Amino acid sequence: MKASATNLNQTPLAAHIVERCKKGDVRAFRELYEAYSAAMYNICLRMTNNVNDAEDTLQEAFIQVHKSIHKLEREASISAWIKRIVVNHCLNTLRKKKVYFEEVDEVEVLAEEGIDEAQFTWTVAAVKSAIHGLPQGYRTVLNLYLFEEYSHREIAEMLGITESTVKTQYMRAKEKVRQIVKQQNVTR
Amino acid sequence: MPDNFEGFIRQHRNEFEEEGPSPRVWSALEQELTGRRKGKVISLLQKNWFKAAVIAVLLANAGALFYFTKHRQPQQQELAVLAPDIQEAGVYYTSRINEKLQLIDAYPDSALGLDSAARKELELRNDTYKALEKELKNNPGNERIRAAMVRYYQLKLDLLDKILEELHDKHVAPGQTKKHYEAEI
């Protein structure tokens, strides 16, 4: 996770800020927001694929953080706790947009013939663009696994689908990204 | 088979991060949070948060000799040994913060407002600052605390910028002095 999200995690200072937040201190809540908002916004942006939805989702998620912070236990990881709230809100945003996560047949996803990654010029911009163009379901699974570092099992629980479906979706998403990046390499 | 795609992402993970959200998110959030409250002090803050903040900062300024010389000087000396880079950052930010405090100080009290919440705000910020300094002295090599200390300075600076922006918008154009302002009213 980006360093900005972990600056305060599980330090005495973080505990101090959280305690002030629990007492309703808005200034302390701002400090918490400033520490985590950039990393959490990036999650929202990756998940919703849209700046306006990302900002709205971030706002809703932090309202939830504010409402629930009294439940946060002293030993818990603040960043993991906030991140989970943010991801849940992202998934709610997607569901409102009628994005459904459905079971798929478990089939082996083979790498496309002729894709030799060693010949690729991988760039951050190319990969971002490829992920941006993925179908929402694929993108969600890929983001949760690769960027947010949840396990296949955790993602399956979040999305209400089986672990094997998550694995299949992830493999397909990866192949799709490879194909798009390959195409970008060819047309360059 | 090595997965170049996954390897590439892990290797360049930080480069995939973009800038944080626009300031409108915090503004909306703050409105939502403070709007929900019924307390008198918070209501005052809701209406005049920037005024309260100004007063808090002015009070901080009034206590600056106490805080930044008598108390902080020995700590600075210690920090200069324990964490010279943070000490350097502290000097830089303190200078910038003092410049902005002087600008704010040019406004008359009537333009700033004054309530008990301001004092409370001040107390809380002092608590945070003290907690940070204490932690930094105890753990001078802890990157998270060092980063938090710098962040604290930045937040304070951001707050002063916002206050100045509000004051300029509502009362007087930038560059005009207290005297000019008083002449106008």
Side-chain angles (χ1 to χ4, degrees), chain A residues 78-91:
Chain A
I78 299 170
S79 65
W81 182 73
I82 294 177
K83 182 172 156 183
R84 190 55 189 262
I85 289 174
V86 168
V87 168
N88 285 341
H89 276 266
C90 288
L91 294 175

Side-chain angles (χ1 to χ4, degrees), chain B residues 9-80:
Chain B
I9 300 265
R10 293 201 174 101
Q11 201 176 346
H12 297 269
R13 179 63 184 81
N14 284 340
E15 294 170 46
F16 282 87
E17 296 291 288
E18 297 192 7
E19 291 293 310
S22 70
R24 80 168 185 90
V25 178
W26 172 254
S27 299
L29 195 54
E30 186 182 42
Q31 199 171 10
E32 178 82 20
L33 300 181
T34 54
R36 195 184 292 155
R37 294 168 178 279
K38 306 292 183 192
K40 190 179 176 184
V41 170
I42 301 301
S43 295
L44 277 171
L45 268 177
Q46 183 184 348
K47 283 183 181 176
N48 297 309
W49 76 266
F50 83 95
K51 291 182 183 176
V54 167
I55 296 310
V57 172
L58 283 175
L59 288 172
N61 198 22
L65 282 176
F66 170 78
Y67 206 72
F68 285 104
T69 59
K70 285 187 182 175
H71 273 197
R72 196 156 175 268
Q73 196 60 39
Q75 289 171 353
Q76 279 182 337
Q77 285 168 0
E78 288 175 42
L79 280 179

Side-chain angles (χ1 to χ4, degrees), chain A residues 20 34 42 117 170 174, chain B residues 3-4 6 18 128 151:
Chain A
R20 287 166 55 208
E34 292 289 347
N42 271 275
E117 292 187 23
Y170 176 64
K174 270 203 313 188
Chain B
D3 191 327
N4 285 352
E6 289 183 355
E18 297 192 7
T128 303
R151 190 72 192 136

